[in-house]
Amino acid sequence: MKKTDTCNIESSKIILNDEIIFESQTENFSDFAKEAYKSLELNYPKFHKMDNLSKLAFLASEMILKNNDHSKTALVFANKSSSLDTDFKYQESINSQENYFPSPTVFVYTLPNICVGEISIKHKMQTENAFFVLDEFDENFLNTYSAQILQSGKAEKVLCGWVELYQESYKAFVYLLTT
């Protein structure tokens, strides 16, 4: 397998293949994501409804996938805190109301694999996808899992990624593997 493209997002920067393609002065992830979306002229209205973990995964993936055909690309992602950031927001929506009417718009994002679903929908991917919760970034594990997918013939490429977001701490490292 070979790694063809990489994207890093952290500290208000998006770096594609070792080149800074977007940088912001804002430290707040929500503001950074909005600025990046606008500056990079991404056109996907559902972006604005996503939770922050999905926005992070989407931005990193979009830098690599762009407008190419990736219907036969699999997704293998991981992080440490699952969807904990959104889970807390969902709990707040329950606690903030006199009656028990939690926000369904937040609830949909209380699983970490929703972010790979958003990417799959955008790129009409019809392949395998997985989201693992690990103690730390384990590239060997992601690559071994991806190699099995590629060897099975279920996909031509695999987009792998570590997308960790909790409160204002975030980091994405996404890369494309091919045979």
Side-chain angles (χ1 to χ4, degrees):
M1 288 186 313
K2 64 181 176 181
K3 196 182 294 184
T4 60
D5 292 293
T6 63
C7 180
N8 291 289
I9 299 178
E10 65 180 314
S11 304
S12 302
K13 291 180 190 162
I14 299 176
I15 302 169
L16 179 63
N17 299 324
D18 298 321
E19 180 183 335
I20 296 173
I21 61 166
F22 178 77
E23 188 170 7
S24 173
Q25 299 304 312
T26 185
E27 294 181 20
N28 175 283
F29 178 78
S30 292
D31 294 340
F32 165 77
K34 287 176 196 172
E35 287 178 28
Y37 177 87
K38 185 176 179 180
S39 174
L40 297 167
E41 298 179 352
L42 301 176
N43 185 22
Y44 192 63
K46 287 178 68 177
F47 178 84
H48 302 290
K49 295 180 181 183
M50 293 180 194
D51 73 327
N52 284 339
L53 179 63
S54 295
K55 286 179 180 179
L56 178 62
F58 183 86
L59 285 171
S61 300
E62 200 61 18
M63 298 305 99
I64 293 173
L65 300 176
K66 298 189 179 143
N67 295 319
N68 298 323
D69 177 17
H70 285 283
S71 59
K72 295 191 186 313
T73 300
L75 298 168
V76 178
F77 280 49
N79 75 5
K80 181 177 181 171
S81 44
S82 186
S83 59
L84 194 56
D85 188 69
T86 302
D87 296 346
F88 278 124
K89 289 176 181 156
Y90 181 68
Q91 184 63 47
E92 286 173 6
S93 80
I94 293 170
N95 296 343
S96 69
Q97 308 206 4
E98 289 180 21
N99 297 321
Y100 178 80
F101 292 113
S103 171
T105 58
V106 177
F107 174 75
V108 72
Y109 293 101
T110 58
L111 294 171
N113 63 331
I114 296 301
C115 66
V116 293
E118 293 284 7
I119 298 162
S120 294
I121 291 167
K122 164 72 164 75
H123 291 280
K124 297 179 177 78
M125 295 173 164
Q126 301 171 8
T127 55
E128 301 284 318
N129 71 57
F131 196 105
F132 297 97
V133 179
L134 307 171
D135 286 334
E136 60 188 16
F137 175 60
D138 186 344
E139 189 169 358
N140 186 50
F141 173 81
L142 296 177
N143 291 352
T144 300
Y145 192 88
S146 298
Q148 292 173 359
I149 293 171
L150 291 170
Q151 289 169 358
S152 75
K154 293 180 180 180
E156 295 173 354
K157 302 174 193 169
V158 180
L159 185 68
C160 296
W162 178 261
V163 287
E164 175 62 25
L165 182 135
Y166 182 67
Q167 295 176 336
E168 287 305 314
S169 175
Y170 63 93
K171 179 177 182 164
F173 175 63
V174 175
Y175 57 97
L176 190 63
L177 292 177
T178 62
T179 53

